[in-house]
Amino acid sequence: MDSTRVTEQPTSFERPQAGAAPVDPRGALLRTPGQQRSTPGGSGLPQAQARGTGEAPAGPPVPPGPGGTGPEHSQPAAAEQLEAPPVRAKPGAGDHRPRPAAEGIPAQPGLEQERRSGQGLPPGRPTPMRRDGDRLRFVGAATRRIARGIDLDEIVMGLCRATVPTFSDAILVYLRDPLPVGDERPIGPVVLRLRRTDRIPEERDTDGGFLPVFHPEPSELSTLTAELCEVRPGGALNEVLRGVRPVFADAPAARAALPELLGEDGESLVPGGQRAILAPLRGRRRVIGAAVFLRRPERIAFEADDLLVAAQLATHSALGIDKAVLYGREAYIADELQRTMLPETLPQPTGVRLASRYLPAAETARVGGDWYDAIPLPGSRVALVVGDVMGHSMTSAAIMGQLRTTAQTLAGLDLPPQEVLHHLDEQAQRLGTDRMATCLYAVYDPVSHRITIANAGHPPPVLLHLGGRAEVLRVPAGAPIGVGGVDFEAVELDAPAGATLLLYTDGLVESRLRDVWTGIEQLREKLAATAQLTGPDHPPPLEALCDEVLDMLGPGDRDDDIALLAARFDGIAPSDVAYWFLEPEDAAPGRARRLARRALARWGLEELTDSVELLVSEVVTNAVRYASRPITLRLLRTDVLRCEVGDDVPQLPRLRQARATDEGGRGLYLVNRMARRWGATRLSTGKVVWFELNRI
């Protein structure tokens, strides 16, 4: 192993071994070779390396310098090479002259060389960080570790783990709260919040004890420092942050800024001398925080070159944080867009139970064009929709939202399924010539136990019968939405009680490993096998069935996002339905009351007679006033009692507050006050006004 290599993940917490130097007193984490070849005199002579490449240069080796050590960048030499005639080394940028001794301290021969190279130090003691190569290697390793982070926490943690204990004994990272995003202009004062602290734990010495640490211990950093700091305009901290460049703690500007940043108790954390660096974190457009690097008093103080290292670390960290914040905002927007495009909750229509699933294609691509929907329709019917817009981008999600909104509007008009697809095709063409999508639209009627399906290039649905048999429904495929100039065909099929209809997108059945028809057959087999677990008389629970279906996906099957909608058909028994036609005449309200009374007596709901008679009379009276064709009256007994009155007038009634002198206008007011729910829906042949009452 190269003796000058700086590891990216320091292991300074291990017990030092003989011949190893795990921690540099000035911050460099270096390891010297465990066994070196020595000269007969006992001193190891390293072999010279080529500068910047780590390769041995051609020619004779360089003789040892004063103190028994070779040049600064050196490796152990072979025994036979040690006897070569000495050749003077060519001066280079890596050669350093000994610094003059401080005033009052006599210079010692070879002391400077020993301090730089680590030779002559007692076994188990740290090896210092060299001025040129070591710092470059450390900065390179640290920036790579910081760059590996994607989100904010990973980047801040990468900064802490890369610098402690290699560069400093402790670090404090402050970030703006809230962090500005992009070109947003922050509102209000600038507030810094302590985001993370890290420290070097107590280290063992060669005798099995612990090296001393400065007090208070770094483990108390988060408790002694202020969590929040407001940067006052014109204050000392504001001036240091505006200067962008890192400064030593003993600089006049930093001495005034650190108490403002750390708080009154945190000032005791800063040791004397150049053993603390305050480095502003500046993003692309503004300062977003600050980092404080601390060293213990017994370690060598920071030098001027360490300010450059701190500047590099701060710059890379700040730019990474900027990008992480932008990425987080984009991911949030994508998630919110996808969430709002899909139904937040499914309705609970009469006679059918629903369950759904949505899986994005990948964690990094959470938006797509797949959607599903369940829309209640007049007459206790429900429309089941599933579609897939081409692509996985924000544009695909936006187009999906427009098509889903259009489908909801068309469903509210109670158009046949083939007409809904025709209008969706026209809408897709208005959005653009390359807007392609597939869609399947089905309408289930729980009274007649029938389902009407129209398809636009979508995979066919699968119907799981109560006995456990699963079949792929034969539905005309049709052309995708957006092609234009094509007709869509609808088919009407039986939907027996207890059966389950599964609508899905192609991401469930198609991948790089299988074609779509192979996937559909596997889906059919999976449904049949799941139904066998619950027996022929009990259908599998919907939620568990959806989970089992998704379990059929293998590791390489997630090429596309997946939308899944399962509908369990319970239906409404004929004995729970009462249906009549009424002529639009003055006697119609009285007849409607008598018919409703008889039906309630047959069902054992006499306690609702008074309320039902009053509300039916008001709704039928309003229909008789404007209708020209026979009026329909239908009562449905499910978990609630539902009454529906239909006529041929498309205008919907409007609830209004009647004045004291008005003779009418109070019918809907009574319905609104007494009914559990009520509403009016426009049909292609008129409208339906309905209300529901709780069964006592």
Side-chain angles (χ1 to χ4, degrees):
M1 180 182 296
D2 185 0
S3 63
T4 61
R5 182 177 180 182
V6 180
T7 59
E8 294 187 41
Q9 298 181 354
T11 55
S12 62
F13 309 147
E14 303 175 356
R15 180 188 296 273
Q17 300 176 0
V23 182
D24 181 351
R26 276 176 33 205
L29 181 72
L30 305 176
R31 291 193 179 274
T32 57
Q35 295 180 355
Q36 295 183 354
R37 298 184 179 181
S38 305
T39 61
S43 300
L45 287 178
Q47 180 182 0
Q49 293 180 343
R51 296 190 52 80
T53 63
E55 300 177 357
V62 180
T69 61
E72 188 170 333
H73 299 281
S74 58
Q75 290 183 342
E80 60 271 10
Q81 292 176 334
L82 298 179
E83 300 177 359
V87 179
R88 182 177 300 276
K90 183 177 179 180
D95 298 329
H96 301 282
R97 297 182 179 179
R99 293 186 301 176
E103 184 176 357
I105 301 177
Q108 302 179 13
L111 178 61
E112 184 68 18
Q113 185 71 9
E114 292 178 0
R115 191 189 65 82
R116 292 177 181 172
S117 63
Q119 300 294 334
L121 292 176
R125 297 303 296 171
T127 303
M129 178 186 290
R130 295 185 175 90
R131 293 178 178 271
D132 47 4
D134 289 343
R135 285 191 173 92
L136 285 176
R137 293 186 183 91
F138 166 70
V139 171
T143 53
R144 284 193 301 271
R145 184 162 190 171
I146 294 170
R148 283 199 296 263
I150 296 179
D151 59 17
L152 182 61
D153 291 332
E154 290 179 350
I155 294 174
V156 175
M157 181 181 294
L159 171 63
C160 295
R161 296 295 170 84
T163 55
V164 177
T166 310
F167 181 69
S168 62
D169 292 328
I171 183 174
L172 299 95
V173 181
Y174 286 82
L175 295 180
R176 293 182 66 161
D177 186 27
L179 278 168
V181 181
D183 296 328
E184 291 182 357
R185 288 187 171 273
I187 301 176
V190 177
V191 177
L192 299 182
R193 178 182 293 273
L194 182 61
R195 185 76 184 194
R196 185 178 178 86
T197 64
D198 207 348
R199 66 176 179 89
I200 179 172
E202 295 176 330
E203 301 173 10
R204 297 181 180 272
D205 61 15
T206 55
D207 298 328
F210 290 90
L211 296 178
V213 295
F214 66 94
H215 297 283
E217 295 184 358
S219 58
E220 304 173 0
L221 292 176
S222 57
T223 58
L224 293 180
T225 56
E227 183 180 0
L228 290 176
C229 166
E230 181 176 342
V231 181
R232 298 187 301 271
L237 180 59
N238 183 64
E239 294 300 322
V240 173
L241 297 180
R242 287 179 57 188
V244 179
R245 297 180 180 276
V247 293
F248 289 122
D250 57 354
R255 281 200 300 266
L258 283 174
E260 183 180 348
L261 177 65
L262 305 179
E264 297 180 357
D265 297 334
E267 189 177 359
S268 60
L269 294 174
V270 182
Q274 294 182 353
R275 289 180 174 82
I277 295 178
L278 174 58
L281 302 178
R282 178 176 176 81
R284 293 184 302 166
R285 292 177 175 85
R286 58 183 65 87
V287 174
I288 60 175
V292 181
F293 304 95
L294 302 171
R295 283 187 181 176
R296 295 170 176 168
E298 68 271 10
R299 289 183 61 178
I300 297 178
F302 289 111
E303 298 181 353
D305 291 341
D306 294 324
L307 292 179
L308 301 178
V309 174
Q312 288 290 326
L313 297 175
T315 299
H316 284 275
S317 301
L319 293 178
I321 292 171
D322 247 0
K323 294 178 181 179
V325 171
L326 289 174
Y327 174 79
R329 173 60 63 89
E330 291 180 359
Y332 170 78
I333 293 174
D335 287 343
E336 286 296 306
L337 177 62
Q338 188 71 53
R339 185 185 62 81
T340 54
M341 293 300 181
L342 296 174
E344 186 174 355
T345 57
L346 291 173
Q348 299 177 355
T350 303
V352 62
R353 286 173 286 170
L354 303 172
S356 63
R357 294 291 188 274
Y358 175 81
L359 292 180
E363 289 295 328
T364 56
R366 300 189 62 86
V367 293
D370 291 14
W371 92 91
Y372 61 88
D373 211 344
I375 309 169
L377 299 178
S380 299
R381 297 171 300 154
V382 60
L384 307 174
V385 192
V386 64
D388 184 3
V389 178
M390 180 177 61
H392 306 94
S393 61
M394 303 278 282
T395 303
S396 301
I399 296 173
M400 176 266 288
Q402 296 182 66
L403 293 180
R404 177 173 177 250
T405 303
T406 303
Q408 289 179 332
T409 304
L410 296 172
L413 300 177
D414 198 29
L415 298 178
Q418 65 271 21
E419 290 296 323
V420 172
L421 294 184
H422 175 72
H423 289 293
L424 284 176
D425 180 64
E426 292 180 340
Q427 176 67 13
Q429 294 180 65
R430 285 191 290 267
L431 294 177
T433 57
D434 58 343
R435 307 309 186 193
M436 304 287 291
T438 62
C439 182
L440 191 143
Y441 189 93
V443 176
Y444 170 67
D445 190 343
V447 176
S448 63
H449 296 269
R450 303 282 287 178
I451 185 169
T452 305
I453 306 176
N455 190 9
H458 203 78
V462 180
L463 185 65
L464 178 63
H465 294 269
L466 183 59
R469 181 174 64 91
E471 66 169 328
V472 180
L473 298 182
R474 297 181 178 273
V475 180
I481 292 174
V483 174
V486 296
D487 293 331
F488 299 97
E489 183 180 355
V491 295
E492 188 173 351
L493 305 171
D494 289 331
T500 304
L501 183 69
L502 195 69
L503 308 179
Y504 53 91
T505 56
D506 58 354
L508 180 65
V509 294
E510 185 180 18
S511 69
R512 295 187 302 267
L513 305 178
R514 61 186 177 185
D515 60 85
V516 61
W517 290 109
T518 302
I520 292 176
E521 180 61 23
Q522 293 179 0
L523 173 62
R524 188 192 66 79
E525 295 174 355
K526 183 69 173 180
L527 290 175
T530 304
Q532 296 298 326
L533 300 177
T534 57
D537 300 330
H538 302 281
L542 274 184
E543 298 294 338
L545 181 63
C546 292
D547 294 335
E548 288 293 328
V549 167
L550 295 180
D551 284 343
M552 66 178 284
L553 297 172
D557 294 342
R558 292 290 302 280
D559 298 333
D560 196 359
D561 46 340
I562 299 171
L564 180 65
L565 179 63
R568 172 72 44 77
F569 299 143
D570 295 331
I572 300 176
S575 58
D576 293 331
V577 181
Y579 193 86
W580 305 280
F581 285 95
L582 304 174
E583 291 295 330
E585 54 188 14
D586 294 341
R591 186 187 176 197
R593 290 193 294 268
R594 291 193 299 271
L595 295 173
R597 187 185 310 115
R598 294 173 186 172
L600 294 177
R602 185 171 66 251
W603 292 336
L605 300 176
E606 292 87 353
E607 64 275 6
L608 298 179
T609 301
D610 294 338
S611 300
V612 172
E613 285 188 1
L614 175 60
L615 299 184
V616 165
S617 178
E618 293 294 339
V619 176
V620 172
T621 300
N622 188 73
V624 168
R625 180 177 302 177
Y626 303 103
S628 58
R629 296 181 181 180
I631 300 169
T632 60
L633 173 62
R634 185 166 73 169
L635 295 179
L636 302 174
R637 183 185 65 168
T638 57
D639 53 340
V640 297
L641 180 68
R642 182 183 177 96
C643 176
E644 299 174 352
V645 177
D647 58 59
D648 61 339
V649 181
Q651 286 78 16
L652 300 180
R654 180 173 57 90
L655 179 65
R656 63 185 181 89
Q657 189 72 31
R659 293 174 297 184
T661 57
D662 291 342
E663 296 182 0
R666 297 176 177 84
L668 288 182
Y669 178 78
L670 293 175
V671 174
N672 183 64
R673 294 285 295 180
M674 299 180 62
R676 172 179 176 266
R677 290 195 312 160
W678 77 278
T681 306
R682 184 180 287 110
L683 305 177
S684 57
T685 58
K687 69 174 181 294
V688 169
V689 180
W690 57 271
F691 63 85
E692 294 178 352
L693 293 173
N694 291 322
R695 295 174 55 180
I696 301 177

